[in-house]
Amino acid sequence: MKKRSLPSGELGLIEQIQRDFATNSSAVKLGIGDDCAILRPPAGCEVLVTTDFTLEGRHFRRDAHPPESVGHRCLARGLSDLAAMGATPLAAFLSLALPSSMLTKAEGRTWIAKFFSGLRALAELHSVPLAGGDTSESPGGKNALILADIVLIGYAPKGKALRRSGAFPGDALYVTGQLGGAAAELAGMLGRRKRIASVKTTEDHPHMFPEPRLDVAEALLRRGVATACIDISDGLSTDLAHLCRASGVNAEIEQEALPIHPLAARLGAKSALHAALHGGEDYELLFTAPASARMPTSLAGVPLTRIGTLKARRTSQPLMTLLVPDSGPEELKQGGWEHFAKPSRNAKKKAR
Ligand SMILES: Nc1ncnc2c1ncn2[C@@H]1O[C@H](COP(=O)(O)OP(=O)(O)OP(=O)(O)O)[C@@H](O)[C@H]1O
Ligand SMILES: Cc1ncc(C[n+]2csc(CCOP(=O)(O)O)c2C)c(N)n1
Ligand SMILES: [Mg+2]
């Protein structure tokens, strides 16, 4: 968002957003400015919709996260859900509640401008128009928080969207990219005394600037090989459990096959494994394909790693098993992020 015309009040901010996100996308027949947007999905496609909160104190901290990262991650969360189903983005909608001081004070206005510049950079990268939203003053006076909700509308050819429920016993299990990097970077950020003032590049920042795997998902859909898919937002162990339950299968993971992110590897073997299995917010894809399918080592420039195999559902056996080298199979418990868990549970997991 350009700094020359700083927003004043709700209408000023909306007009600024309208100017900065002007679009000539043929998918948006009517964008920001009326009671509803009018979208035009391509013929022969189904519409996919997802929504995600970005809440101060829960998903980011104003004293730890650069505002560009907050804007980027706000959109990335929704784009990653579209990628998980093989969908192509059509438009985004942003609902934003801001403390009133953020519009009246220069520091607050700068924060808002940087938030939007982070969001817009990712939107431009993936050609996603911002077609609407809502703006409100968040309650709480001096203690008011920044609350954002992003809605993503996407499309996929009729009947082709990938689901969590399509996997079969015997299928191979793959992940994109590397695991544990987001948790490792976040732990480093929360351990610092001051906010990171500016970042030179969005590359190699798995927590601050995750890269939603839209291109990989599109390539998977084109190849028609994936049977099921989910994105890793809450941690591999938790999201794999969702896929297993939805597909009615058990899973076996080979610990040694897990592609550990270098930032996690630096924490030492035990913490690195914990970050990779339970860390969350890596926004990589976890997908399945018949074991006989030929899978390339990378798709759309992103490495693919086979990390395990699905088994027939047996309630007498654990839903998920970890094959540990030199020790044998262990039950893999669902240990990722959970809202409403006791604060110490999620916090302890980060510190370990
Ligand atoms: N308050 C709600 N009302 C209706 N449906 C909801 C509500 N909260 C979640 N859901 C639905 O429950 C399902 C799982 O939601 P969840 O937020 O856990 O998605 P996810 O993709 O696993 O996680 P993430 O939020 O990290 O993307 C989705 O279909 C979602 O639309
Ligand atoms: C300040 C701060 N503390 C902790 C975390 C970690 N965290 C928050 S929500 C979440 C899971 C995904 O969220 P959701 O289930 O809402 O999609 C994770 C791993 C963070 N990002 N910022
Ligand atoms: Mg998801």
Side-chain angles (χ1 to χ4, degrees):
M1 184 175 273
K2 289 145 211 146
K3 279 190 210 150
R4 56 183 158 71
S5 49
L6 291 169
S8 85
E10 178 189 350
L11 294 182
L13 178 54
I14 294 172
E15 279 168 14
Q16 179 79 48
I17 295 169
Q18 193 171 17
R19 278 195 296 274
D20 288 343
F21 284 85
T23 177
N24 52 13
S25 163
S26 59
V28 182
K29 192 169 168 193
L30 185 65
I32 298 173
D34 213 314
D35 291 306
C36 294
I38 306 177
L39 304 180
R40 270 191 289 228
C45 285
E46 287 170 328
V47 172
L48 289 87
V49 185
T50 176
T51 178
D52 276 291
F53 273 134
T54 294
L55 308 178
E56 181 174 4
R58 186 56 62 197
H59 299 97
F60 74 93
R61 270 188 15 202
R62 229 186 297 178
D63 62 358
H65 288 76
E68 293 90 342
S69 155
V70 182
H72 175 109
R73 294 177 70 243
C74 181
L75 180 61
R77 288 158 60 66
L79 290 178
S80 179
D81 278 329
L82 289 185
M85 300 200 62
T88 304
L90 195 64
F93 294 80
L94 174 70
S95 293
L96 198 53
L98 296 166
S100 67
S101 62
M102 295 202 71
L103 271 84
T104 53
K105 292 190 178 151
E107 198 191 342
R109 294 171 178 214
T110 304
W111 195 99
I112 296 171
K114 289 183 172 178
F115 167 89
F116 275 104
S117 86
L119 191 147
R120 201 177 56 207
L122 186 64
E124 283 174 0
L125 189 68
H126 292 287
S127 308
V128 189
L130 184 66
D134 195 21
T135 304
S136 168
E137 180 183 339
S138 64
K142 269 192 186 160
N143 299 320
L145 299 172
I146 302 168
L147 311 169
D149 183 65
I150 195 91
V151 172
L152 258 300
I153 314 286
Y155 62 90
K158 226 173 191 171
K160 298 285 184 213
L162 300 170
R163 300 178 185 206
R164 300 173 178 187
S165 56
F168 296 98
D171 279 359
L173 196 55
Y174 297 88
V175 284
T176 60
Q178 294 168 313
L179 302 173
E185 184 174 40
L186 175 66
M189 289 166 69
L190 297 183
R192 286 169 66 109
R193 287 184 48 217
K194 278 184 82 180
R195 183 174 89 188
I196 298 164
S198 67
V199 276
K200 286 198 195 83
T201 165
T202 58
E203 273 172 46
D204 299 323
H205 288 292
H207 173 79
M208 281 195 279
F209 298 101
E211 297 175 31
R213 300 305 190 190
L214 287 156
D215 296 349
V216 182
E218 226 167 273
L220 278 176
L221 213 67
R222 249 197 331 267
R223 287 169 169 250
V225 282
T227 47
C229 189
I230 186 169
D231 70 323
I232 305 176
S233 49
D234 290 337
L236 174 67
S237 64
T238 293
D239 290 315
L240 175 60
H242 292 324
L243 188 147
C244 285
R245 289 198 189 96
S247 290
V249 294
N250 287 358
E252 217 168 66
I253 300 289
E254 288 169 42
Q255 183 179 305
E256 277 204 313
L258 293 172
I260 306 281
H261 194 284
L263 285 180
R266 269 198 234 156
L267 304 174
K270 200 170 166 217
S271 300
L273 179 64
H274 195 274
L277 288 174
H278 311 298
E281 296 186 307
D282 282 321
Y283 297 111
E284 296 295 348
L285 299 181
L286 174 69
F287 67 93
T288 57
S292 58
R294 278 181 42 175
M295 195 62 69
T297 54
S298 72
L299 258 187
V302 180
L304 303 181
T305 309
R306 181 171 175 176
I307 60 163
T309 307
L310 298 184
K311 303 282 171 189
R313 182 84 187 97
R314 288 214 179 80
T315 43
S316 58
Q317 285 174 4
L319 187 69
M320 302 179 292
T321 302
L322 188 65
L323 302 179
V324 183
D326 306 326
S327 144
E330 278 176 14
E331 176 171 4
L332 173 62
K333 294 220 172 91
Q334 185 174 323
W337 183 270
E338 206 182 311
H339 291 288
F340 305 108
K342 286 199 182 106
S344 60
R345 186 170 165 264
N346 285 324
K348 226 190 278 163
K349 279 193 274 167
K350 261 184 283 142
R352 242 186 265 157

